[in-house]
Amino acid sequence: MSTLRIFNGRIIDPANGRDEKADLWIRDGVIIETPVDGTKADEEIDAKGRIVAPGLIDIHVHFREPGQSHKETIGTGSQAAAAGGFTSVVCMPNTSPAADNAGTITLIREKAATSSVVNIFTTGAITKGLAGQELAPYNAMVGAGIVAITDDGHCVQNHEVMRRAVEYARMFGLVVLDHCQDYSLVGGGVMNEGEWSLRLGLPGWPRIGEEIIVMRNILLADLCDSPIHCQHISSGGSVRLIREARARGVKISGEVCPHHIALTDDHLQTFDSNYKMNPPLRTERDIEAIIGGIADGTLDILCSDHAPHAKYEKEVELDQAPFGILGLETEFGLFSDILVHKKKAIDMARLIELYTSKPAKLLSLDRGTLGVGAQGDVTLIDPDLEWVYDKELSPSLSRNTPFHGTEMKGRAVQTIVAGKTVWSL
C-alpha cells in the first residue's frame, strides 16, 4: 500500500467545518485517519505556509472533444485544469456531435479515462442537437453517467419544452443548468448594450436578454419544485431576481465567472476579440452587484466557462469572432485577488467552499471533501503568492485570453488527484 502524508499545512475543509493546522494522510488514493501507531508514509509533502484544501471543482468547462480538437482536447484541457488547481471538472455538451445521446457521452468518458489527469464529469444536452425543440433521451444518458443536463452555448427558447425538461430532470434527480439568453432580445449583439456599444457602433446585448430567462427559470423551478442553475451570471438585475427567489425558497442558483468581475465593457474599445464573451462584459454597477451576491450567498458557485478557440478563429473582425476565453489557469488567482485581497468581500475559507463543497452538493458529486473515506483529491494553495500569468506557458492548445501579463495574489501550487501529484509549480 502507498501512503502520502501532507504536514505543516492549514487544512480548510468546508464540507466538514474544519479549519486547523493538522496532517492529512492518503492511502491508495483514499483519505484515511491519521495513524497513531507510528506508521511512516511512503511520500511526504511539507505544506508550510500553504492551505490544504479539497481538490477544487469547476462545473463549467468546454474541452471541445469530440469534433473540435484543434481548439482543445480532453488531455490538454485536463492539464490546464490541473495547472489551475482543479482536480475535477464538468464538461459541457456542445461538442460536435453534441453530447445528446449515450454513445457520445460514453465516448467522452472513455477518452477521459485514458487521457485526462483530473476527474472528468459529463453533462448531457437538454434537447437533441442543442436545437431547443425535442428532449434528449435522459434515461439513456443517465445510464451513461451524466451529472446534469444543459444546452450551454444555446438556450431553450420554448418555455413548454423547458418545463418538460425540468419535470423529467426531477424524475432522474438531475439539475438543469441553463445558459440564460433570450434570442429575440439579444439578436446579433456582440457586447453589452450601453455607452460603449453606441460609441463603437457595435450591436448591443442588453441585460434584459439574460434577466428575462433568469425569471423564466425562477418561475419554472418554483412550479416544478426542481432545481435550475443559471450559468455565468453577468447582470446585476439577475442577482436581484435570484436573491429574491431564494429568499422565498425557490430552488434556483447561479454561478459567476472571473471575467464578469474583473473586466468591463470599455475594454472592447480596442476591438480585441479576447474581450468578447457570452454573456458579455458589463459595467462597474453590475460588478458591484455580482460581488455583493457572492458576499451574501446569493451566488454560491464559481467557475471558468473555459472556452478555448484557435488563434485564427479569434483573429478576425470582432463581430465575426467566436465568443469565449480560456479560464482554468487564471480563475482561482483572479477570484482570490479580487474577492479576498482587494474587495475583502469573502475570506479564503469561503472562497474554497465556493469551489469545493458547494459545487459538489449542487451536482451530487462524491468530491469536495477531505473526510475520511473520500477520494484523495487535494489542492495546495499559497494564499499570498503574487504572480503574473503567462499564456505562452499554458498546456492548453489555445491562447485566447485577455489576462496575459495580469498580476494576481493567491494561487494553487500543487494539484493531487487520488493521492498522486498531477501538477506542481
Side-chain angles (χ1 to χ4, degrees), residues 26-27 29-32 366-377:
I26 300 172
R27 175 179 293 156
V30 177
I31 296 172
I32 63 170
D366 58 345
R367 300 290 188 275
T369 174
L370 297 178
V372 172
Q375 179 163 310
D377 293 348

Side-chain angles (χ1 to χ4, degrees), residues 8 10 32 41 69 117 193 224 250 293 311 332 349 364 386 402:
N8 274 341
R10 174 191 172 192
I32 63 170
S69 55
V117 298
E193 181 181 277
C224 303
V250 178
K311 186 176 181 180
F332 184 84
S364 300
E386 296 180 355

Side-chain angles (χ1 to χ4, degrees), residues 102-135:
T104 302
I105 291 158
T106 299
L107 174 67
I108 294 170
R109 287 170 56 84
E110 289 177 350
K111 182 71 173 179
T114 59
S115 64
S116 178
V117 298
V118 302
N119 305 300
I120 302 287
F121 294 95
T122 55
T123 57
I126 295 175
T127 61
K128 292 182 179 180
L130 310 178
Q133 300 299 316
E134 183 180 357
L135 298 185

Side-chain angles (χ1 to χ4, degrees), residues 386-404:
E386 296 180 355
W387 62 290
V388 177
Y389 176 62
D390 184 349
K391 68 179 182 180
E392 299 306 328
L393 300 179
S394 174
S396 173
L397 291 182
S398 296
R399 293 291 181 268
N400 54 309
T401 174
F403 296 115
H404 178 65

Side-chain angles (χ1 to χ4, degrees), residues 300-312:
D300 54 9
I301 305 286
L302 303 179
C303 63
S304 65
D305 191 10
H306 178 81
H309 294 291
K311 186 176 181 180
Y312 71 86

